[in-house]
Amino acid sequence: DVTEHQVLARGAVSDPFPLGIHAERTKTSVALQYLYLGISHIIPKGLDHILFVLGLFLLSLTFKSLLLQITAFTVAHTLTLALTSMGIFRLPSDFVEPLIALSIAYVAIENIVTSELKPWRPVLVFLFGLLHGMGFAGVLGELGIPENHFLLALFSFNAGVEVGQLLVVTAAALAIGWFRNAAWFRSRITVPLSVAIGIMGLYWFWDRL
């Protein structure tokens, strides 16, 4: 028996299923599809991950500090996305999802109470990234991964997530980055947005519990 595997976006129509003839999908089509799925999981579907990345952006007064946090987050979620997807390590989603929400609230609250990047922040961002990676893996598991292109699909999905994060940071930089050195930036931008992000994080934490 031959199993045909297709992943469809909302409202999409599947390709015809050939009867008796197995049409192997090309590596390019798999890579492009999972790249798109990774991007769409951040934009527009991943509001929680968008708010987390924005929280990192708001306390990053320099490109170096932002790069340090984004790198820590990326390395961490790439690690757990791979390990969880391969079945090497797994935690229940009922445990992971509330903690992801709590990580968003924590980042926002720290933005409110301090105006500078503390030494422990990149370490915590790395730990939070491990949780987010397991969340990404849960989504990827629901979508399904073609067995004959497992690593390619995994890599492409993760690359899509990175592209989505980069788009979020770029949009934030274009929207408010010009005013980062203004005396009023913290009081009018960082604190109010962090309050809103923190409220959403706490709401999601309670809701997911």
Side-chain angles (χ1 to χ4, degrees):
D1 293 338
V2 175
T3 300
E4 180 76 15
H5 179 91
Q6 294 184 28
V7 178
L8 303 178
R10 185 185 300 273
V13 178
S14 70
D15 296 329
F17 285 92
L19 299 178
I21 301 175
H22 179 56
E24 179 70 21
R25 293 187 61 193
T26 65
K27 292 181 178 180
T28 300
S29 67
V30 172
L32 290 177
Q33 182 179 33
Y34 280 84
L35 179 70
Y36 167 77
L37 290 171
I39 296 173
S40 65
H41 180 62
I42 300 297
I43 302 173
K45 299 177 182 178
L47 182 57
D48 50 353
H49 301 296
I50 290 175
L51 293 186
F52 183 83
V53 173
L54 287 178
L56 301 184
F57 175 83
L58 289 173
L59 195 63
S60 303
L61 300 180
T62 65
F63 175 76
K64 181 180 179 180
S65 62
L66 177 61
L67 181 62
L68 180 62
Q69 293 183 84
I70 293 295
T71 299
F73 182 63
T74 298
V75 171
H77 78 63
T78 298
L79 177 63
T80 48
L81 171 59
L83 292 177
T84 304
S85 298
M86 293 178 181
I88 298 174
F89 178 80
R90 186 180 299 275
L91 289 176
S93 61
D94 290 346
F95 177 78
V96 172
E97 291 300 326
L99 291 181
I100 289 177
L102 199 59
S103 73
I104 298 168
Y106 175 86
V107 166
I109 293 171
E110 188 174 18
N111 290 352
I112 297 169
V113 300
T114 183
S115 59
E116 59 183 15
L117 193 69
K118 300 298 183 181
W120 61 78
R121 171 90 164 213
V123 177
L124 286 176
V125 169
F126 179 85
L127 295 176
F128 293 153
L130 296 176
L131 294 171
H132 284 249
M134 285 183 272
F136 294 146
V139 171
L140 189 56
E142 293 176 1
L143 292 172
I145 309 178
E147 294 181 2
N148 53 339
H149 294 303
F150 183 88
L151 292 179
L152 176 62
L154 179 63
F155 174 82
S156 299
F157 182 83
N158 190 66
V161 169
E162 301 311 318
V163 172
Q165 291 177 175
L166 181 60
L167 291 174
V168 170
V169 172
T170 301
L174 291 175
I176 60 177
W178 307 101
F179 312 112
R180 297 185 71 81
N181 295 323
W184 46 263
F185 183 84
R186 174 169 173 78
S187 60
R188 297 185 184 180
I189 302 294
T190 299
V191 172
L193 288 183
S194 294
V195 168
I197 292 172
I199 290 173
M200 284 301 301
L202 291 174
Y203 168 75
W204 282 329
F205 174 68
W206 174 256
D207 185 61
R208 293 173 183 182
L209 281 179

